[in-house]
Amino acid sequence: MSCKGGQTVNSIYQALAKRQRLTQLVLLAAAAVFPLLVSNPYAIRLAILSGIFIILSLSLNLLTGFSGQISLGHIAFYGIGAYTAAILSKNLGVNFLICMLAAVVVTALFGLLLGLPALKLGGYYLAIVTLGFSEIVRLVEINWMDLTNGPLGINGIPKPALFGVKLSSPRAYYYMCLLLVALTSSSSGISWNRASAMRWAPSAGTKTPQNSWA
């Protein structure tokens, strides 16, 4: 694709982003009042799970939708971060915010170790590598009983506290999740242009731009 074509794609993304801002604000306002109108804890828990998967979808869209890299190991990094935070919180009594930061760092390290060799492959080869990595992580999490408690999962994780305020109700968890969704959405928007440029970046060893889907 020519430079002019790349600029056209970026301009389309920018125009769509402007149109979506109002929609995002309306959805955010509706999400903010949702737990005030719905008192059913089960419905709120479903909304929390939806928020978690929205965060996963945004990050996957950034990687696959905009940069064009096919990754089938996304859920593995989610599991690594979740187990890191849970183990630190339950076994070591680490503060909630530090657990979150540690989960980000550990997951990023695994992503770096996998990404350095895997991104040189690209396309469907990258998909195969990330799929294999995801399966390895799944087997480790299921069979390492002493660390992860296997398929039973980690129970009795202490309730998180933010700035001395303990989050003990589904509504409190919901608003924390909503805040993370908003932060993830805004940070993803900042990265869209850079990620879309990767789709048409010259691949290693070639002088012409290459679409990762090709």
Side-chain angles (χ1 to χ4, degrees):
M1 175 177 284
S2 64
C3 180
K4 183 178 180 181
Q7 292 176 351
T8 302
V9 172
N10 287 334
S11 64
I12 292 175
Y13 287 150
Q14 292 174 359
L16 289 175
K18 291 180 180 179
R19 294 180 181 180
Q20 290 174 350
R21 286 175 185 172
L22 180 59
T23 303
Q24 290 174 347
L25 290 175
V26 172
L27 291 175
L28 182 61
V33 300
F34 172 78
L36 302 178
L37 302 176
V38 178
S39 58
N40 188 342
Y42 177 72
I44 296 178
R45 292 183 188 277
L46 285 181
I48 294 172
L49 288 176
S50 299
I52 293 173
F53 286 113
I54 287 173
I55 294 174
L56 285 173
S57 300
L58 287 170
S59 57
L60 182 60
N61 184 47
L62 181 64
L63 177 64
T64 302
F66 286 89
S67 67
Q69 302 297 328
I70 309 173
S71 173
L72 300 178
H74 213 64
I75 199 66
F77 296 105
Y78 166 67
I80 291 172
Y83 274 109
T84 298
I87 291 170
L88 289 177
S89 178
K90 181 180 180 181
N91 297 349
L92 301 178
V94 179
N95 178 270
F96 173 68
L97 292 177
I98 298 178
C99 287
M100 290 186 63
L101 179 60
V104 172
V105 172
V106 172
T107 305
L109 289 176
F110 274 94
L112 181 64
L113 292 175
L114 179 67
L116 287 178
L119 285 177
K120 295 181 180 180
L121 301 174
Y124 300 112
Y125 297 104
L126 175 62
I128 294 173
V129 171
T130 53
L131 177 62
F133 173 75
S134 180
E135 183 64 12
I136 291 172
V137 171
R138 184 186 71 86
L139 292 174
V140 170
E141 291 173 349
I142 289 178
N143 292 284
W144 197 347
M145 295 293 296
D146 293 336
L147 183 66
T148 66
N149 202 29
L152 300 178
I154 300 178
N155 299 315
I157 300 174
K159 294 180 179 179
L162 291 175
F163 308 108
V165 179
K166 183 170 290 187
L167 306 179
S168 57
S169 67
R171 185 175 295 175
Y173 282 112
Y174 174 86
Y175 281 115
M176 182 184 69
C177 185
L178 181 61
L179 175 62
L180 293 176
V181 169
L183 292 175
T184 304
S185 179
S186 60
S187 61
S188 297
I190 295 174
S191 305
W192 281 350
N193 287 337
R194 293 182 180 180
S196 60
M198 290 178 59
R199 179 189 287 268
W200 306 106
S203 60
T206 63
K207 296 183 179 180
T208 57
Q210 178 175 332
N211 187 347
S212 299
W213 289 99

